[in-house]
């Protein structure tokens, strides 16, 4: 028998005693993070977040009496390889899979999860409008990122927008949602263009040329990975005044900023549940542990934090359930909260999405994000975002406000 400290849904610390089953093999997690390819700049950091969680879990005694075991791979930012590696990891004994970055890679893996009655924990912001019983969504939904960002941008800058995205599902769907959010706030989208996931210099230059012709606009970027790094550098080199024409994003965090060069990122905006500058004991412990393991300058983003806390939550669910059975894990996950670096998080029992903390960060001189707006409580995920205006906006409209 062993004592386990957990949080109940009210946030109070409780103690449980649970029998550890040591007569079975170790619990095994499979990691689906690219170490090469166009999105490796962020997926390598996500993989590190997962490894930190595994290290901490094992230092605390492991799961069900044995060290938590990992199976690793490199899907190389390619949807077909993600599907192949998911099949391989499950065949080699993975009890659950963790990872995927692009929605195209998640969608390639989900049929495998469904057919094999397996589990996937997905740690990346995405476009919403999805549910699969075996998928636990730890990344943010549009309600938890795009809505606050639309409010901030329309209140802070001239509400004229230019959308630039990578050519795959997440940018198209995110732009559709953001277009509605901006229109409901009196803004206007001047143009919307897409570039390849790995754009050439000429393709990036053409995007910059179109932006310049549009006049004073705020850029909403859903360009990801190496393409985003190239786009931010080119935007900086073109000399745009980011005090009035910033790039705003749902995905461009510390790893991408470090790759692009901090000078190219000053004044730009990201909407995410987590930034490494959050002042809390839980985040201080996380940042210290992460940089002790991976280097004093190791960048940390919201996707990295989600990759970390979802492994921690899975391990706790296995301890509570006493098994790796999918049905029992899904039943156990909503019964507790976890003190994540961003704040208290929990899994919604109906949608399998996560209550998260919306925030807006602006890159300041020196390279650190400054949090300029944040929620006072974790926000329900509501992956099917139908109402694009919150209660306050509707009340203002009813009162004759803007």
């Amino acid at each position: 028998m062993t004592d386990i400290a957990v949080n109940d849904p009210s946030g109070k610390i409780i103690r449980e005693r649970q029998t550890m089953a040591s007569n079975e093999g170790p619990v095994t997690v499979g990691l689906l993070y690219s170490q090469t390819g166009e999105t490796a700049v962020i997926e390598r950091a996500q993989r590190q977040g997962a490894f930190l969680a595994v290290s901490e879990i094992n230092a605390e005694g492991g799961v069900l009496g044995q060290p938590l075991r990992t199976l690793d791979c490199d899907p190389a930012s390619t949807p077909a390889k993600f599907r192949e590696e998911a099949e391989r990891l499950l065949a080699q004994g993975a009890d659950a899979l963790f990872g995927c970055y692009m929605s195209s890679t998640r969608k390639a893996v989900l049929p495998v999860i469904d057919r094999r009655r397996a589990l996937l924990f997905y740690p990346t912001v995405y476009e919403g409008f999805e549910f699969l019983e075996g998928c636990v969504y730890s990344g943010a939904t549009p309600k938890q990122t795009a809505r606050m960002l639309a409010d901030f941008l329309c209140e802070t800058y001239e509400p004229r927008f230019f959308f630039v995205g990578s050519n795959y599902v997440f940018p198209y769907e995110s732009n559709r949602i953001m277009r509605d959010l901006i229109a409901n706030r009196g803004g206007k989208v001047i143009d919307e263009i897409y570039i390849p996931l790995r754009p050439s210099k000429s393709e990036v230059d053409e995007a910059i040329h179109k932006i310049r012709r549009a006049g004073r606009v705020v850029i909403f970027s859903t360009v990801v990975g190496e393409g985003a790094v190239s786009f931010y550098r080119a935007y900086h080199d073109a000399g745009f005044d980011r005090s009035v024409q910033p790039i705003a994003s749902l995905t461009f965090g510390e790893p991408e900023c470090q790759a692009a060069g901090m000078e190219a990122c000053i004044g730009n905006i990201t909407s995410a549940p987590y930034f490494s500058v959050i002042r809390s004991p839980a985040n201080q412990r996380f940042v210290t542990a992460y940089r002790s393991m991976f280097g004093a300058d190791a960048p940390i983003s919201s996707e990295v934090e989600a990759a970390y806390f979802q492994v921690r939550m899975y391990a706790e669910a296995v301890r509570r359930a006493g098994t790796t059975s999918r049905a029992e894990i899904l039943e156990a996950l909503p019964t507790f909260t976890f003190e994540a670096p961003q704040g208290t998080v929990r899994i919604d029992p109906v949608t399998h999405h996560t209550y998260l903390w919306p925030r807006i960060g602006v890159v300041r001189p020196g390279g650190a994000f400054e949090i300029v707006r944040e929620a006072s409580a974790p926000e329900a995920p509501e992956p099917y975002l139908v109402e694009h205006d919150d209660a306050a906006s509707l009340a203002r409209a009813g009162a004759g406000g803007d």
Side-chain angles (χ1 to χ4, degrees):
M1 301 285 283
T2 185
D3 288 329
I4 304 172
V6 298
N7 291 337
D8 70 11
S10 69
K12 297 178 181 178
I13 300 295
I14 61 176
R15 307 292 295 189
E16 287 189 347
R17 294 186 65 79
Q18 181 167 324
T19 302
M20 294 299 186
S22 59
N23 58 340
E24 299 179 356
V27 176
T28 303
V29 296
L31 303 183
L32 284 169
Y33 293 113
S34 299
Q35 299 170 56
T36 58
E38 52 266 30
T39 55
V41 63
I42 178 60
E43 291 189 63
R44 283 193 295 262
Q46 288 181 296
R47 177 174 171 266
Q48 291 177 174
F51 273 119
L52 173 60
V54 171
S55 174
E56 291 181 351
I57 290 162
N58 287 338
E60 295 163 4
V63 182
L64 302 184
Q66 297 191 56
L68 184 62
R69 187 170 72 108
T70 60
L71 295 174
D72 203 9
C73 67
D74 176 16
S77 307
T78 306
K81 290 185 179 180
F82 269 87
R83 182 174 57 250
E84 294 169 5
E85 292 294 354
E87 293 272 19
R88 183 181 67 81
L89 294 177
L90 291 170
Q92 290 185 351
D95 294 297
L97 300 181
F98 296 79
C100 300
Y101 177 73
M102 292 187 292
S103 287
S104 55
T105 63
R106 183 190 71 255
K107 288 182 178 294
V109 169
L110 290 183
V112 178
I113 298 300
D114 195 39
R115 175 169 46 81
R116 299 190 62 133
R117 305 292 296 170
L119 278 170
L120 171 68
F121 286 74
Y122 180 66
T124 306
V125 58
Y126 89 115
E127 64 278 3
F129 295 90
E130 182 178 287
F131 171 83
L132 186 80
E133 184 181 8
C135 188
V136 178
Y137 301 81
S138 306
T141 64
K143 181 187 177 187
Q144 297 165 317
T145 52
R147 191 160 68 173
M148 180 181 280
L149 182 60
D151 283 339
F152 178 78
L153 295 176
C154 289
E155 293 166 6
T156 308
Y157 303 95
E158 184 176 348
R160 300 179 76 252
F161 296 87
F162 195 107
F163 289 2
V164 184
S166 295
N167 191 17
Y168 77 105
V169 61
F170 167 73
Y172 283 97
E173 290 300 304
S174 294
N175 286 344
R176 176 183 61 80
I177 293 167
M178 184 60 91
R179 182 179 285 272
D180 287 344
L181 290 167
I182 287 171
N184 287 346
R185 287 152 178 80
K188 182 179 181 181
V189 178
I190 304 304
D191 203 354
E192 179 175 340
I193 64 172
Y194 295 88
I195 60 178
L197 275 168
R198 185 170 282 178
S200 66
K201 183 180 184 302
S202 64
E203 288 164 333
V204 173
D205 289 345
E206 177 62 20
I208 297 297
H209 177 65
K210 289 180 178 179
I211 291 169
R212 193 178 297 283
R213 288 170 51 192
R216 181 178 291 187
V217 288
V218 174
I219 310 306
F220 177 60
S221 171
T222 47
V223 183
V224 301
E226 292 295 338
V229 171
S230 298
F231 175 62
Y232 274 58
R233 285 174 178 164
Y235 192 81
H236 170 68
D237 291 341
F240 290 99
D241 182 355
R242 295 194 293 274
S243 69
V244 293
Q245 287 189 253
I247 302 175
S249 174
L250 308 177
T251 58
F252 203 88
E254 287 185 22
E256 294 93 337
C257 282
Q258 189 177 87
M262 290 301 179
E263 187 179 358
C265 300
I266 295 169
N268 290 328
I269 301 158
T270 298
S271 178
Y274 173 84
F275 296 94
S276 68
V277 295
I278 292 171
R279 296 181 179 179
S280 71
N283 187 51
Q284 184 176 6
R285 288 192 297 270
F286 171 65
V287 171
T288 299
Y290 187 88
R291 290 179 173 156
S292 175
M293 180 172 286
F294 301 112
D297 297 324
I300 311 172
S301 69
S302 182
E303 291 81 10
V304 175
E305 188 246 6
Y308 165 81
F309 79 67
Q310 67 180 15
V311 176
R312 295 299 309 246
M313 293 189 79
Y314 172 73
E316 179 57 39
V318 173
R319 293 186 188 113
R320 284 174 162 253
T323 176
T324 58
S325 161
R326 182 172 96 160
E328 295 189 49
I329 294 301
L330 291 175
E331 184 177 346
L333 277 168
T335 66
F336 61 92
T337 63
F338 180 72
E339 295 303 316
Q342 68 176 270
T344 304
V345 299
R346 65 184 176 93
I347 305 298
D348 180 73
V350 176
T351 67
H352 298 171
H353 288 65
T354 309
Y355 281 69
L356 300 171
W357 297 73
R359 291 181 169 96
I360 303 289
V362 179
V363 182
R364 297 305 190 194
F369 278 94
E370 177 190 0
I371 297 172
V372 296
R373 186 170 296 189
E374 59 186 326
S376 59
E379 178 123 16
E382 294 185 20
Y384 295 90
L385 180 62
V386 178
E387 294 294 339
H388 292 314
D389 287 301
D390 60 19
S393 298
L394 293 173
R396 287 195 299 272
D402 293 338

